[in-house]
Amino acid sequence: MSKQKRFFLSEDEIPTKWYNIQADMVNKPMPPINPKTKQPLKPEDLFTIFAQELSKQELDQTNPWIEIPEEVREMYKYYRSTPLVRAYGLEKALDTPAHIYFKNESVSPVGSHKLNSALAQAYYCKKEGVTNVTTETGAGQWGAALSYAAKVFGLEAAVYQVKISYNQKPYRRSIMQTYGAQVTPSPSMSTRAGKDILTANPNCQGSLGTAISEAIELAMNTPNCKYTLGSVLSHVTLHQTVIGLEAEKQMAMAGEYPDMVIACFGGGSNFGGIAFPFLRHNILEGKTTRFIAAEPASCPKLTKGVFQYDFGDEAGYTPLLPMFTLGHNFMPANIHAGGLRYHGAGVIVSQLLKDKLMEAVDIQQLESFKAGILFSQAEGIIPAPESCHAIAATINEALKCKESGEEKVILFNLSGHGLIDMTAYDQYLSGSLQNFEVSDEDIQKNIAQLEKVI
Amino acid sequence: MSKQKRFFLSEDEIPTKWYNIQADMVNKPMPPINPKTKQPLKPEDLFTIFAQELSKQELDQTNPWIEIPEEVREMYKYYRSTPLVRAYGLEKALDTPAHIYFKNESVSPVGSHKLNSALAQAYYCKKEGVTNVTTETGAGQWGAALSYAAKVFGLEAAVYQVKISYNQKPYRRSIMQTYGAQVTPSPSMSTRAGKDILTANPNCQGSLGTAISEAIELAMNTPNCKYTLGSVLSHVTLHQTVIGLEAEKQMAMAGEYPDMVIACFGGGSNFGGIAFPFLRHNILEGKTTRFIAAEPASCPKLTKGVFQYDFGDEAGYTPLLPMFTLGHNFMPANIHAGGLRYHGAGVIVSQLLKDKLMEAVDIQQLESFKAGILFSQAEGIIPAPESCHAIAATINEALKCKESGEEKVILFNLSGHGLIDMTAYDQYLSGSLQNFEVSDEDIQKNIAQLEKVI
């Protein structure tokens, strides 16, 4: 008899609640700080830029389960559950005794997990009478998701796309425009934040931190407009827990439980999304699953950054967040994994890392694409450059199992497909792609500047 | 209670047999003819270029059900069943009482239905000791599928990609190369067929007919090498019936039966794939479902071609096929739906159209993209330019239902996604895309040449 390869939930098994790990954490994340008053943030302080319900979710350290609104759940049903797949092809290619599973978020209509939060954010904005939303995007996965979600709920969307990605990945811009969004490369001359940066450095290729500043500024200056964010913040990660909650049920269908859960790491939302529902069992029941965040070696906030209060954006518009950071003006190298080019980590994952409840590894660009090619040929799906980092970390662990002969169960999140990133694969295959080293000096320089912040 | 949006089959409900409609047709397709002997083709005549089992399937007019090999079925399970989706979003956007369903073949790892036959063809080649396969590809959907299928079964793949697509869609070339295939733009100087065409017309942008000639020539001149084809031929359509057979079960889960089945039309395999299992019930049980093939107005073999014996390729390497054709040297306009740029129709669909068991409509390029944008915004999935033709035809029928107030059930095949075709969407959105008219004079000129063929 053949072994089952994919596991699905029926529509009525799709989670009805998101999981808020903050409620179960022994050491709660420290509060975000209002940079002007130096006081802990209250939800009301966020109302000017975020929908009220999202602001409340952001700071909720009490309720472990948050109801998924019916309207959001109905939209989830168009692509969820996503399949849990047993990666027999990859296991065979590695000749490993490990059992490798992946949650395939690339089947979402926009090609990544980002839609899980985009739908929620657009829904709450609509419900509260908002008519326009702004956001930033790196590689464009988030921008595409928000553009479509805005269309679903009848909102106008304006997206600032990091310039390097805007140029490297013109197809993503077209996708956002096909969904009806307005897309601007960042830094741009349309905001003060953008102008300041371009004045100082006319050739600036942008970063998520800069694009966030621009999107926030536009939201603040536009009537009936809110800002939305694709990662980092706790409410974004909250929405992404639908991934792990589904995976938990699907792993049970497969009759297994993960020894390791692995995801790539930009701001932390796809990582937290798949990890937290399982981490819950470590916290509450003493399970010993390992949680491994795979970040790019060229933007190593988890492995080389410091835990400190810092701004979430380049211009300093956001509250101060207690995070692992490289400094908010750290300009990451132009790797193709645009979604991982961010200086900091969300407050929840930062606290968890500080408390050693999770681990982090760094992956070089060339290693990530090598892993992506192997996975493409073994499983047929071409992964996003971001997801390639999770695959590389998975391969490393699976090869350790091969050495030790251990039949460990590894679950990783395939956060998105790489079909819009073929230029990167092309460069890898032709040998023109390179690694980027970030010098300790650069990191120290940026971190030193942080001292002045609070 | 919310209505179910997607319908899946469990792995053990995936069809175990393909459906061979030739066995049930009252008027069988006329036989392919050997151009040299002018005699009806026998399977052995095809053995030089095709795997033997595929050659037998091609001419089988007796067995209605062909067993799907276990190895192929195991690979199907990585992406099949594909979802049957109720297009509530599109229905709402059109304000139609019609019930619109689509079979979402875009979720295959290679992004289209093409993998259904690629896996089968690669499997039979491998089983018969073949080491190398060649093929042609237009937009690259088939080339990507064959490249991955070849990798799965340990074969080397060489793909001739129509030059216009090679240049318009560089990402598809990269995808094929990521899967490990060798890709050459056609016409090329690597074959006699290519040289002849380039000598006559150095700027020739290629066509499927030309690329087929080149791939066949390479197969004939390479030891242990077979040619594979992505559409047109009866065995390819046979493999694609897995789509309709699944859809039949899934429509039953939804409690409905289609009044219309619609698919885009290049050579006929995605159309036949979804249509034939339902058409069977028209033939055997007197059901009255309509079957509508949507072809591009610039390559109108079904609506403006003649039914006549013609070659399947530009150079005349193939047997003569009884088909609706525009003439084998008809050079289609450079529309973005590269997979529909083919001069002829498969022998089964040609006979069915002749017998009025199916219908055909032609769709202009601008209309197809308008439909694609509407669908993208309503359902989130950006369709392939080819699939846009099916969507446009579906919209036309759904709007007729709106006028008449009829609650008809329409099923169409979403043959693939358009993520590699964003340049085309870009051009449409910026207003630089155009329609292409094909003059009756051109058609008559090509058809007149046919008279000499047999």
PDB file of all heavy atoms in Angstrom, chain A residues 424-447:
ATOM      1  N   ALA A 424      16.851  35.276  -9.900  1.00  0.00           N
ATOM      2  CA  ALA A 424      17.806  34.857  -8.879  1.00  0.00           C
ATOM      3  C   ALA A 424      18.318  33.448  -9.168  1.00  0.00           C
ATOM      4  O   ALA A 424      19.523  33.177  -9.088  1.00  0.00           O
ATOM      5  CB  ALA A 424      17.153  34.911  -7.500  1.00  0.00           C
ATOM      6  N   TYR A 425      17.402  32.550  -9.514  1.00  0.00           N
ATOM      7  CA  TYR A 425      17.821  31.187  -9.858  1.00  0.00           C
ATOM      8  C   TYR A 425      18.738  31.197 -11.074  1.00  0.00           C
ATOM      9  O   TYR A 425      19.723  30.462 -11.144  1.00  0.00           O
ATOM     10  CB  TYR A 425      16.597  30.300 -10.108  1.00  0.00           C
ATOM     11  CG  TYR A 425      15.961  29.796  -8.828  1.00  0.00           C
ATOM     12  CD1 TYR A 425      14.969  30.509  -8.181  1.00  0.00           C
ATOM     13  CD2 TYR A 425      16.392  28.595  -8.258  1.00  0.00           C
ATOM     14  CE1 TYR A 425      14.408  30.049  -7.007  1.00  0.00           C
ATOM     15  CE2 TYR A 425      15.835  28.128  -7.088  1.00  0.00           C
ATOM     16  CZ  TYR A 425      14.835  28.857  -6.463  1.00  0.00           C
ATOM     17  OH  TYR A 425      14.291  28.397  -5.293  1.00  0.00           O
ATOM     18  N   ASP A 426      18.376  32.034 -12.041  1.00  0.00           N
ATOM     19  CA  ASP A 426      19.180  32.180 -13.245  1.00  0.00           C
ATOM     20  C   ASP A 426      20.608  32.572 -12.892  1.00  0.00           C
ATOM     21  O   ASP A 426      21.570  32.000 -13.403  1.00  0.00           O
ATOM     22  CB  ASP A 426      18.551  33.296 -14.086  1.00  0.00           C
ATOM     23  CG  ASP A 426      18.461  32.924 -15.540  1.00  0.00           C
ATOM     24  OD1 ASP A 426      18.458  31.717 -15.849  1.00  0.00           O
ATOM     25  OD2 ASP A 426      18.381  33.845 -16.372  1.00  0.00           O
ATOM     26  N   GLN A 427      20.724  33.565 -12.016  1.00  0.00           N
ATOM     27  CA  GLN A 427      22.049  34.032 -11.613  1.00  0.00           C
ATOM     28  C   GLN A 427      22.805  32.936 -10.866  1.00  0.00           C
ATOM     29  O   GLN A 427      24.005  32.759 -11.044  1.00  0.00           O
ATOM     30  CB  GLN A 427      21.926  35.287 -10.747  1.00  0.00           C
ATOM     31  CG  GLN A 427      21.459  36.502 -11.544  1.00  0.00           C
ATOM     32  CD  GLN A 427      21.228  37.722 -10.665  1.00  0.00           C
ATOM     33  OE1 GLN A 427      21.521  37.708  -9.473  1.00  0.00           O
ATOM     34  NE2 GLN A 427      20.697  38.786 -11.254  1.00  0.00           N
ATOM     35  N   TYR A 428      22.077  32.203 -10.032  1.00  0.00           N
ATOM     36  CA  TYR A 428      22.733  31.106  -9.307  1.00  0.00           C
ATOM     37  C   TYR A 428      23.257  30.066 -10.294  1.00  0.00           C
ATOM     38  O   TYR A 428      24.409  29.641 -10.219  1.00  0.00           O
ATOM     39  CB  TYR A 428      21.776  30.457  -8.311  1.00  0.00           C
ATOM     40  CG  TYR A 428      22.412  29.275  -7.615  1.00  0.00           C
ATOM     41  CD1 TYR A 428      23.293  29.461  -6.549  1.00  0.00           C
ATOM     42  CD2 TYR A 428      22.177  27.976  -8.052  1.00  0.00           C
ATOM     43  CE1 TYR A 428      23.917  28.385  -5.940  1.00  0.00           C
ATOM     44  CE2 TYR A 428      22.792  26.889  -7.448  1.00  0.00           C
ATOM     45  CZ  TYR A 428      23.653  27.101  -6.385  1.00  0.00           C
ATOM     46  OH  TYR A 428      24.266  26.030  -5.788  1.00  0.00           O
ATOM     47  N   LEU A 429      22.388  29.667 -11.241  1.00  0.00           N
ATOM     48  CA  LEU A 429      22.765  28.616 -12.190  1.00  0.00           C
ATOM     49  C   LEU A 429      23.921  29.057 -13.089  1.00  0.00           C
ATOM     50  O   LEU A 429      24.742  28.240 -13.506  1.00  0.00           O
ATOM     51  CB  LEU A 429      21.557  28.216 -13.048  1.00  0.00           C
ATOM     52  CG  LEU A 429      20.465  27.433 -12.318  1.00  0.00           C
ATOM     53  CD1 LEU A 429      19.220  27.307 -13.183  1.00  0.00           C
ATOM     54  CD2 LEU A 429      20.968  26.048 -11.892  1.00  0.00           C
ATOM     55  N   SER A 430      24.000  30.362 -13.380  1.00  0.00           N
ATOM     56  CA  SER A 430      25.070  30.837 -14.252  1.00  0.00           C
ATOM     57  C   SER A 430      26.324  31.209 -13.460  1.00  0.00           C
ATOM     58  O   SER A 430      27.316  31.649 -14.032  1.00  0.00           O
ATOM     59  CB  SER A 430      24.585  32.048 -15.056  1.00  0.00           C
ATOM     60  OG  SER A 430      24.357  33.140 -14.190  1.00  0.00           O
ATOM     61  N   GLY A 431      26.272  31.040 -12.154  1.00  0.00           N
ATOM     62  CA  GLY A 431      27.467  31.272 -11.342  1.00  0.00           C
ATOM     63  C   GLY A 431      27.731  32.724 -11.010  1.00  0.00           C
ATOM     64  O   GLY A 431      28.789  33.064 -10.489  1.00  0.00           O
ATOM     65  N   SER A 432      26.785  33.603 -11.293  1.00  0.00           N
ATOM     66  CA  SER A 432      27.053  35.030 -11.053  1.00  0.00           C
ATOM     67  C   SER A 432      26.513  35.522  -9.706  1.00  0.00           C
ATOM     68  O   SER A 432      26.628  36.696  -9.376  1.00  0.00           O
ATOM     69  CB  SER A 432      26.459  35.872 -12.190  1.00  0.00           C
ATOM     70  OG  SER A 432      25.054  35.764 -12.219  1.00  0.00           O
ATOM     71  N   LEU A 433      25.923  34.627  -8.942  1.00  0.00           N
ATOM     72  CA  LEU A 433      25.382  35.028  -7.637  1.00  0.00           C
ATOM     73  C   LEU A 433      26.491  34.926  -6.589  1.00  0.00           C
ATOM     74  O   LEU A 433      27.383  34.092  -6.701  1.00  0.00           O
ATOM     75  CB  LEU A 433      24.220  34.098  -7.260  1.00  0.00           C
ATOM     76  CG  LEU A 433      23.135  34.677  -6.373  1.00  0.00           C
ATOM     77  CD1 LEU A 433      22.466  35.850  -7.053  1.00  0.00           C
ATOM     78  CD2 LEU A 433      22.110  33.598  -6.058  1.00  0.00           C
ATOM     79  N   GLN A 434      26.451  35.770  -5.587  1.00  0.00           N
ATOM     80  CA  GLN A 434      27.501  35.751  -4.579  1.00  0.00           C
ATOM     81  C   GLN A 434      26.930  35.764  -3.162  1.00  0.00           C
ATOM     82  O   GLN A 434      25.759  36.056  -2.953  1.00  0.00           O
ATOM     83  CB  GLN A 434      28.422  36.956  -4.761  1.00  0.00           C
ATOM     84  CG  GLN A 434      27.669  38.294  -4.693  1.00  0.00           C
ATOM     85  CD  GLN A 434      28.594  39.499  -4.758  1.00  0.00           C
ATOM     86  OE1 GLN A 434      29.681  39.469  -4.209  1.00  0.00           O
ATOM     87  NE2 GLN A 434      28.157  40.552  -5.415  1.00  0.00           N
ATOM     88  N   ASN A 435      27.795  35.426  -2.235  1.00  0.00           N
ATOM     89  CA  ASN A 435      27.465  35.602  -0.819  1.00  0.00           C
ATOM     90  C   ASN A 435      27.767  37.031  -0.417  1.00  0.00           C
ATOM     91  O   ASN A 435      28.567  37.711  -1.057  1.00  0.00           O
ATOM     92  CB  ASN A 435      28.310  34.651   0.033  1.00  0.00           C
ATOM     93  CG  ASN A 435      27.815  33.223  -0.072  1.00  0.00           C
ATOM     94  OD1 ASN A 435      26.638  32.982  -0.341  1.00  0.00           O
ATOM     95  ND2 ASN A 435      28.717  32.281   0.143  1.00  0.00           N
ATOM     96  N   PHE A 436      27.120  37.478   0.634  1.00  0.00           N
ATOM     97  CA  PHE A 436      27.436  38.794   1.194  1.00  0.00           C
ATOM     98  C   PHE A 436      27.829  38.607   2.653  1.00  0.00           C
ATOM     99  O   PHE A 436      27.086  37.996   3.417  1.00  0.00           O
ATOM    100  CB  PHE A 436      26.231  39.734   1.106  1.00  0.00           C
ATOM    101  CG  PHE A 436      25.880  40.160  -0.285  1.00  0.00           C
ATOM    102  CD1 PHE A 436      24.892  39.506  -0.992  1.00  0.00           C
ATOM    103  CD2 PHE A 436      26.549  41.215  -0.897  1.00  0.00           C
ATOM    104  CE1 PHE A 436      24.561  39.897  -2.282  1.00  0.00           C
ATOM    105  CE2 PHE A 436      26.223  41.611  -2.186  1.00  0.00           C
ATOM    106  CZ  PHE A 436      25.226  40.950  -2.885  1.00  0.00           C
ATOM    107  N   GLU A 437      28.988  39.115   2.984  1.00  0.00           N
ATOM    108  CA  GLU A 437      29.402  39.069   4.384  1.00  0.00           C
ATOM    109  C   GLU A 437      29.032  40.395   5.018  1.00  0.00           C
ATOM    110  O   GLU A 437      29.133  41.443   4.396  1.00  0.00           O
ATOM    111  CB  GLU A 437      30.919  38.860   4.501  1.00  0.00           C
ATOM    112  CG  GLU A 437      31.436  37.630   3.782  1.00  0.00           C
ATOM    113  CD  GLU A 437      30.997  36.331   4.451  1.00  0.00           C
ATOM    114  OE1 GLU A 437      30.637  36.369   5.644  1.00  0.00           O
ATOM    115  OE2 GLU A 437      31.004  35.285   3.774  1.00  0.00           O
ATOM    116  N   VAL A 438      28.608  40.351   6.248  1.00  0.00           N
ATOM    117  CA  VAL A 438      28.405  41.597   6.971  1.00  0.00           C
ATOM    118  C   VAL A 438      29.485  41.658   8.051  1.00  0.00           C
ATOM    119  O   VAL A 438      29.681  40.718   8.817  1.00  0.00           O
ATOM    120  CB  VAL A 438      26.973  41.696   7.558  1.00  0.00           C
ATOM    121  CG1 VAL A 438      26.624  40.488   8.394  1.00  0.00           C
ATOM    122  CG2 VAL A 438      26.815  42.960   8.370  1.00  0.00           C
ATOM    123  N   SER A 439      30.231  42.746   8.039  1.00  0.00           N
ATOM    124  CA  SER A 439      31.374  42.822   8.949  1.00  0.00           C
ATOM    125  C   SER A 439      30.908  43.122  10.364  1.00  0.00           C
ATOM    126  O   SER A 439      29.908  43.819  10.579  1.00  0.00           O
ATOM    127  CB  SER A 439      32.340  43.918   8.483  1.00  0.00           C
ATOM    128  OG  SER A 439      31.783  45.190   8.755  1.00  0.00           O
ATOM    129  N   ASP A 440      31.618  42.569  11.317  1.00  0.00           N
ATOM    130  CA  ASP A 440      31.304  42.852  12.723  1.00  0.00           C
ATOM    131  C   ASP A 440      31.396  44.357  12.982  1.00  0.00           C
ATOM    132  O   ASP A 440      30.657  44.907  13.784  1.00  0.00           O
ATOM    133  CB  ASP A 440      32.267  42.093  13.641  1.00  0.00           C
ATOM    134  CG  ASP A 440      31.936  40.605  13.670  1.00  0.00           C
ATOM    135  OD1 ASP A 440      30.820  40.244  13.227  1.00  0.00           O
ATOM    136  OD2 ASP A 440      32.786  39.813  14.117  1.00  0.00           O
ATOM    137  N   GLU A 441      32.296  45.003  12.251  1.00  0.00           N
ATOM    138  CA  GLU A 441      32.470  46.456  12.413  1.00  0.00           C
ATOM    139  C   GLU A 441      31.164  47.191  12.084  1.00  0.00           C
ATOM    140  O   GLU A 441      30.717  48.072  12.810  1.00  0.00           O
ATOM    141  CB  GLU A 441      33.604  46.920  11.490  1.00  0.00           C
ATOM    142  CG  GLU A 441      34.095  48.330  11.771  1.00  0.00           C
ATOM    143  CD  GLU A 441      35.079  48.790  10.681  1.00  0.00           C
ATOM    144  OE1 GLU A 441      35.448  47.960   9.809  1.00  0.00           O
ATOM    145  OE2 GLU A 441      35.462  49.967  10.711  1.00  0.00           O
ATOM    146  N   ASP A 442      30.574  46.801  10.946  1.00  0.00           N
ATOM    147  CA  ASP A 442      29.306  47.430  10.541  1.00  0.00           C
ATOM    148  C   ASP A 442      28.227  47.204  11.594  1.00  0.00           C
ATOM    149  O   ASP A 442      27.453  48.100  11.934  1.00  0.00           O
ATOM    150  CB  ASP A 442      28.813  46.850   9.211  1.00  0.00           C
ATOM    151  CG  ASP A 442      29.484  47.532   8.015  1.00  0.00           C
ATOM    152  OD1 ASP A 442      30.219  48.512   8.241  1.00  0.00           O
ATOM    153  OD2 ASP A 442      29.269  47.061   6.892  1.00  0.00           O
ATOM    154  N   ILE A 443      28.171  45.978  12.069  1.00  0.00           N
ATOM    155  CA  ILE A 443      27.156  45.670  13.071  1.00  0.00           C
ATOM    156  C   ILE A 443      27.390  46.510  14.325  1.00  0.00           C
ATOM    157  O   ILE A 443      26.475  47.124  14.868  1.00  0.00           O
ATOM    158  CB  ILE A 443      27.170  44.156  13.406  1.00  0.00           C
ATOM    159  CG1 ILE A 443      26.717  43.352  12.171  1.00  0.00           C
ATOM    160  CG2 ILE A 443      26.268  43.860  14.599  1.00  0.00           C
ATOM    161  CD1 ILE A 443      26.808  41.849  12.346  1.00  0.00           C
ATOM    162  N   GLN A 444      28.640  46.542  14.767  1.00  0.00           N
ATOM    163  CA  GLN A 444      28.958  47.305  15.976  1.00  0.00           C
ATOM    164  C   GLN A 444      28.634  48.795  15.801  1.00  0.00           C
ATOM    165  O   GLN A 444      28.141  49.443  16.712  1.00  0.00           O
ATOM    166  CB  GLN A 444      30.436  47.135  16.367  1.00  0.00           C
ATOM    167  CG  GLN A 444      30.773  45.738  16.879  1.00  0.00           C
ATOM    168  CD  GLN A 444      29.792  45.249  17.944  1.00  0.00           C
ATOM    169  OE1 GLN A 444      29.392  45.998  18.834  1.00  0.00           O
ATOM    170  NE2 GLN A 444      29.362  43.995  17.839  1.00  0.00           N
ATOM    171  N   LYS A 445      28.930  49.297  14.621  1.00  0.00           N
ATOM    172  CA  LYS A 445      28.683  50.715  14.346  1.00  0.00           C
ATOM    173  C   LYS A 445      27.190  51.031  14.491  1.00  0.00           C
ATOM    174  O   LYS A 445      26.797  52.006  15.116  1.00  0.00           O
ATOM    175  CB  LYS A 445      29.159  51.051  12.918  1.00  0.00           C
ATOM    176  CG  LYS A 445      29.394  52.519  12.665  1.00  0.00           C
ATOM    177  CD  LYS A 445      29.935  52.744  11.257  1.00  0.00           C
ATOM    178  CE  LYS A 445      28.837  52.646  10.217  1.00  0.00           C
ATOM    179  NZ  LYS A 445      29.334  52.704   8.839  1.00  0.00           N
ATOM    180  N   ASN A 446      26.380  50.172  13.916  1.00  0.00           N
ATOM    181  CA  ASN A 446      24.936  50.397  13.980  1.00  0.00           C
ATOM    182  C   ASN A 446      24.405  50.226  15.392  1.00  0.00           C
ATOM    183  O   ASN A 446      23.544  50.971  15.840  1.00  0.00           O
ATOM    184  CB  ASN A 446      24.193  49.437  13.048  1.00  0.00           C
ATOM    185  CG  ASN A 446      24.095  50.013  11.662  1.00  0.00           C
ATOM    186  OD1 ASN A 446      23.245  50.867  11.415  1.00  0.00           O
ATOM    187  ND2 ASN A 446      24.989  49.588  10.795  1.00  0.00           N
ATOM    188  N   ILE A 447      24.925  49.209  16.060  1.00  0.00           N
ATOM    189  CA  ILE A 447      24.447  48.958  17.414  1.00  0.00           C
ATOM    190  C   ILE A 447      24.853  50.097  18.347  1.00  0.00           C
ATOM    191  O   ILE A 447      24.101  50.491  19.234  1.00  0.00           O
ATOM    192  CB  ILE A 447      24.971  47.582  17.906  1.00  0.00           C
ATOM    193  CG1 ILE A 447      24.253  46.454  17.112  1.00  0.00           C
ATOM    194  CG2 ILE A 447      24.749  47.417  19.389  1.00  0.00           C
ATOM    195  CD1 ILE A 447      24.799  45.080  17.352  1.00  0.00           C
TER     196      ILE A 447
END
